Amino acid sequence: MTTKIRTRFAPSPTGLLHIGNARAALFNFLYARHHGGEFLLRIEDTDRERSTQQAVDVIFEGLKWMGITPDEAPVFQSSRQERHTEVALDLLAKGQAYKCYCTPEELKEMRETAMAEGRPPRYNGMWRDRDPSEAPAGAPYAVRIRAPREGETVITDLVQGEVRVANTELDDMIILRSDGTPTYQHAVVVDDHDMEVTHVIRGDDHLTNTFRQLMIYRAMGWTQPQFAHLPLIHGPDGAKLSKRHGAQSVVEFRDEGYLPEALCNYLLRLGWGHGDAEILSRDEQIRLFDLDGVGRSPSRMDYAKLLHINGVWMREADDDRLTADVLQRLAGREGVQTDEVTRERLRVLMPGLKERARTLAELADSAAFLGRQVPLSFDAKAEKLLSPEARTMLGDLARDLAAADPFTAEEIDRLLRHFAETHGHKLGQVAQPLRAAMTGTTTSPGIDVTLAALGRDEVLARIGAVLRS
Ligand code: GLU
C-alpha cells in the first residue's frame, strides 16, 4: 500500500498573509488534491511575542477566501510544546543530543573568535564530548543536537533537484533552550513527523533550514518527507517584492477588488506552467498540477497580467455575487443609496457593467451612478456634452421616452434610433448627452440597457434635472 500524501501549510502568524505564502498554501493544497491526499494547516505560533490573534484571523480568512480549506482542524504549534520537549529529551537519552552549559559570555566569545578568524560564527562543540559532571551544580543548560561531522547531506528536492551541503557546515544547533522552550527548527520536525506530512512544500528561503531539520529526522530514525522548495516571488524589477511595487498581501488584493479565483489562477501560473493553459478553473488546476511544472528561478510579479486575468474572471462571475459585492463597496459612499432599488438596477445592468471592469473596485466605481439621486453632479466631459442644443434635444427625447412601451432595452434602442433618424442626428449625438445626463460621466454600458436599468421614472427625473440646471 502506498502512503497517503499529506501536505501542510505552516505560516507564522506574525503579520500579513503574503502572496508568496499564499502561493505555497495553494501549491500544497493542489498537490494534495491532485494525488488524492490531504492538506493540513499548522499555525506556527511559538514566537509568542510576535504572534498575534489578528494575524491568525487573517490567515484563516485569507485561506477561506481563496477556497483553500484544510482537511483537518488546524494545529497550533504552541499547544504541542510538551511533545517537542519529550522528543528533545528522548534525543538526549539516546545520546543523539547533549547538554550544553555554555554561558552567554562564552557563546559571545566563541562567535567573536570565529569571526576574527574569518570562520562562520558556529558553535564549536565545547560540550559535545565533555562530561556533564564538569558543569557547575544546578547550572542551566540547553540541549543541542549532535550534528554529523563528516560527509555531506543531500536532498533530492522536487523543484530544485539535488542539493548538497557538507556536514561541516552544520553545527550542533539548540533544540531545547535553557529556559526549557523548544526551538523552532525542532518543533517543525516533530510536528511534521507527528502530522504524518509526506511532502514539505515551502519557499526556498527555508532550504538551509531543511538541512538542519534533517539532522533531527536522522537522529530520531524517522522517515524524512520529500521536499519541494519554491522560488520566491520578486517584484517586476527583479528586486525583493516590497510595498513600493504594489499590493503584497492577500487581504490587500481582496480589498483592491480582485476575485479569489483570479488571484489563485495568477499565483498558480506564476512559476508553474502547463503548456499554454492560462485560465484554469479549480478543477482543472487540481487535475493538472504537479511539482514537475514548477520552475526553478524566481518569479516576477506582473500586476498588469493579474489585472487582465481578473478581468477574465470578472466576466465569468455570477451576477448576483458581483451585485452583492458592489453594494458592499458602495455602502457608505456619500450620496449613493444602496437600497433595494439600487440592487435591482445593479442586477439588471450587471452583464453590461462587468464586461468593462477589471476589478470589483472599478465595477463599484462604474456602478455608483445607479444609486445617486437627482440632481447628479457632472464631470467636465459630461458637462461639455450637455450643451444648450443637447438640452433641447433631451427635452424632445423625454417626451418620446415617456411614451415608450414597454420600457425595455429593445424598445428603447428602437426608439433612440428612430428619434435620431427623424431629427437628423447620428445615434451618438443622441446617446452621448443622454449618457451624461444619466450617469454624470461619459462612460456606461450600452445606453439602452442603462436606461432600462434605471427605469422610466428615474430616466425622466434625471433628464428633468438636467433641463432645470
Ligand atoms: N512558519 C514558516 C514561515 O511562515 C514556514 C515553515 C515551514 O513551512 O516549514 O515561513
Side-chain angles (χ1 to χ4, degrees):
M1 203 187 91
T2 50
T3 24
K4 186 165 231 171
I5 282 180
R6 282 167 64 93
T7 63
R8 88 315 189 253
F9 175 49
S12 307
T14 53
L16 313 161
L17 179 53
H18 192 273
I19 46 163
N21 282 339
R23 188 174 60 155
L26 178 66
F27 283 18
N28 275 287
F29 173 82
L30 294 177
Y31 190 74
R33 284 282 177 283
H34 177 79
H35 291 283
E38 279 146 7
F39 166 72
L40 313 172
L41 173 63
R42 180 171 72 239
I43 304 292
E44 302 211 310
D45 57 346
T46 40
D47 185 342
R48 304 307 290 167
E49 310 234 299
R50 294 179 59 222
S51 304
T52 64
Q53 184 56 43
Q54 198 194 355
V56 173
D57 294 341
V58 163
I59 292 166
F60 286 156
E61 244 181 70
L63 290 180
K64 189 170 165 220
W65 181 73
M66 295 200 300
I68 299 177
T69 40
D71 293 308
E72 291 175 9
V75 171
F76 287 83
Q77 192 160 60
S78 60
S79 71
R80 295 183 30 87
Q81 198 164 329
E82 263 178 50
R83 170 68 179 147
H84 303 146
T85 306
E86 179 185 77
V87 174
L89 298 180
D90 195 14
L91 285 168
L92 202 52
K94 287 183 161 92
Q96 297 282 358
Y98 62 91
K99 294 179 182 174
C100 164
Y101 291 92
C102 279
T103 61
E105 295 74 42
E106 284 172 320
L107 290 171
K108 185 162 173 261
E109 203 185 305
M110 210 181 280
R111 272 196 302 273
E112 284 169 0
T113 315
M115 307 254 280
E117 291 171 6
R119 290 182 286 117
R122 294 204 188 93
Y123 179 69
N124 68 6
M126 198 173 195
W127 283 89
R128 184 174 167 118
D129 299 311
R130 207 153 143 189
D131 191 331
S133 67
E134 290 176 30
Y141 62 85
V143 176
R144 288 183 183 270
I145 186 107
R146 221 176 262 285
R149 286 270 166 99
E150 278 129 35
E152 58 177 9
T153 302
V154 185
I155 60 167
T156 307
D157 190 277
L158 295 173
V159 171
Q160 310 289 334
E162 212 164 78
V163 190
R164 316 165 161 265
V165 161
N167 288 339
T168 47
E169 298 288 314
L170 305 170
D171 68 355
D172 295 353
M173 69 171 178
I174 295 178
I175 54 175
L176 208 57
R177 297 184 193 92
S178 57
D179 64 1
T181 56
T183 57
Y184 164 73
Q185 304 283 2
H186 177 64
V188 168
V189 175
V190 177
D191 290 346
D192 280 339
H193 170 77
D194 288 0
M195 290 166 76
E196 297 175 23
V197 169
T198 59
H199 290 73
V200 171
I201 304 169
R202 59 186 172 196
D204 67 9
D205 48 338
H206 285 283
L207 193 53
T208 49
N209 287 343
T210 300
F211 287 95
R212 312 183 87 196
Q213 293 171 7
L214 281 174
M215 294 197 279
I216 300 169
Y217 283 100
R218 287 217 198 100
M220 284 302 289
W222 287 341
T223 310
Q224 60 190 58
Q226 301 238 56
F227 291 94
H229 287 95
L230 310 171
L232 300 183
I233 302 176
H234 287 176
D237 55 2
K240 189 173 181 286
L241 189 63
S242 74
K243 255 200 182 81
R244 76 190 157 83
H245 292 118
Q248 296 180 76
S249 80
V250 169
V251 171
E252 278 175 281
F253 283 105
R254 184 191 64 190
D255 294 349
E256 287 184 9
Y258 289 89
L259 294 174
E261 301 92 313
L263 185 64
C264 287
N265 191 153
Y266 176 71
L267 289 179
L268 171 64
R269 286 288 293 107
L270 190 60
W272 173 85
H274 183 87
D276 295 335
E278 195 66 71
I279 304 295
L280 293 157
S281 70
R282 184 50 63 82
D283 285 347
E284 286 168 319
Q285 295 174 12
I286 291 171
R287 190 165 58 76
L288 298 175
F289 184 77
D290 219 338
L291 289 168
D292 52 14
V294 178
R296 284 192 200 182
S297 43
S299 325
R300 287 191 186 201
M301 184 70 195
D302 182 343
Y303 289 95
K305 183 153 178 205
L306 170 60
L307 201 54
H308 166 75
I309 288 185
N310 202 58
V312 175
W313 279 100
M314 292 275 295
R315 292 192 280 284
E316 293 289 318
D318 173 71
D319 290 353
D320 287 341
R321 168 189 175 196
L322 295 177
T323 299
D325 188 284
V326 165
L327 279 173
Q328 261 183 15
R329 284 175 193 269
L330 291 178
R333 249 194 228 198
E334 216 191 310
V336 180
Q337 302 236 345
T338 50
D339 53 10
E340 273 313 306
V341 177
T342 306
R343 179 191 299 276
E344 185 51 24
R345 290 176 187 167
L346 257 174
R347 223 186 42 72
V348 175
L349 200 53
M350 194 50 81
L353 287 168
K354 74 180 183 184
E355 284 296 317
R356 317 162 60 93
R358 293 170 305 173
T359 65
L360 291 164
E362 285 184 9
L363 187 65
D365 287 343
S366 70
F369 79 92
L370 292 173
R372 294 202 188 277
Q373 313 282 284
V374 286
L376 305 188
S377 52
F378 301 95
D379 68 21
K381 282 192 206 156
E383 193 77 60
K384 206 164 158 216
L385 285 172
L386 295 170
S387 61
E389 303 77 57
R391 285 165 196 254
T392 311
M393 184 270 298
L394 286 175
D396 295 341
L397 182 59
R399 272 187 292 280
D400 286 10
L401 287 169
D405 186 30
F407 202 77
T408 55
E410 209 178 24
E411 179 57 22
I412 293 165
D413 177 62
R414 206 195 53 73
L415 183 151
L416 292 180
R417 285 177 194 284
H418 179 72
F419 180 88
E421 213 171 294
T422 48
H423 288 76
H425 299 309
K426 292 211 179 84
L427 188 58
Q429 289 172 307
V430 179
Q432 281 178 331
L434 185 56
R435 175 173 286 120
M438 294 302 113
T439 67
T441 70
T442 47
T443 53
S444 80
I447 193 66
D448 50 350
V449 283
T450 303
L451 260 53
L454 285 166
R456 187 199 319 268
D457 292 349
E458 185 64 20
V459 167
L460 296 179
R462 290 189 183 197
I463 294 178
V466 167
L467 299 184
R468 284 192 299 276
S469 67

